Amino acid sequence: MAQVPDPRDRRGRRCPLVLTSALVQAAIVSGAVSSAAIRRWISHAPQEVLAQLGAQRDRRTGLFQAPHPDTVCRTIAQVNAAYVDAAHAMHRTGQLRELYDDPDGLIPMTVDGKTQRGTATPGTPARHRLGAQLADDALMVATIDVSSKSTEITALAPLLDQIGCLKNVVISADRLHTQREHAVTCTGVRPSTSSRSTATSRPCSTSSTL
């Protein structure tokens, strides 16, 4: 989150964006699955958690203070999700070489899209996300929103751009992605007319397939 721009004015920022987002994530992994539950958890956040997350200490009481739940939720609502997706992808791709330390080993990755339940509102379709995850570890590497006026086909290239170099990466995806432009995206080479549904790599990679 340190790479995500803070949408708030510089004046009056009492709580860093990193802390507000960390509090929300801590609440979710603690079992808070609704907005009301997240607010309650933040209001009663344990002192040891606040200390680890870098919360400020009250000079009078000596206790670590969490920002007001309204401030946290209002701030998170203003954050551009695209920046969060990009920061997450940057973090995960930086870990790939640690997970796969064999320079010649293949990195299996799956690409799939899902419509998020409960995100539809009157006049607004449900949110649809396209993601790439490690097939072996089920770790999400990159995600991106699919526009309601578009499809997963046009979202694949921006998704893979978040990952960057696809060296030794083998990608599996739905048949709808067996497009020539996707082959170009993965390999940097335009396939011949005899090419069907596989490609081999970008210039920096040796194994990237669709």
Side-chain angles (χ1 to χ4, degrees), residues 77-182:
Q78 298 177 44
V79 173
N80 190 324
Y83 289 121
V84 178
D85 289 340
H88 173 81
M90 183 183 300
H91 173 69
R92 282 302 189 194
T93 52
Q95 297 177 319
L96 289 181
R97 300 312 159 195
E98 299 177 7
L99 295 173
Y100 299 89
D101 53 2
D102 183 357
D104 297 321
L106 299 180
I107 304 175
M109 202 175 287
T110 60
V111 172
D112 196 14
K114 298 294 181 184
T115 299
Q116 295 181 316
R117 296 177 58 185
T119 57
T121 59
T124 303
R127 190 180 187 186
H128 192 83
R129 304 275 287 171
L130 184 66
Q133 71 173 18
L134 297 177
D136 292 337
D137 304 289
L139 292 176
M140 189 63 68
V141 178
T143 57
I144 192 172
D145 277 323
V146 179
S147 171
S148 59
K149 298 181 180 179
S150 183
T151 66
E152 291 184 16
I153 294 177
T154 56
L156 181 65
L159 176 72
L160 298 183
D161 285 341
Q162 289 187 355
I163 301 174
C165 181
L166 298 176
K167 183 177 181 179
N168 291 358
V169 175
V170 178
I171 299 175
S172 62
D174 293 336
R175 289 188 62 184
L176 63 89
H177 291 296
T178 54
Q179 310 281 331
R180 287 196 175 190
E181 292 305 318
H182 289 352

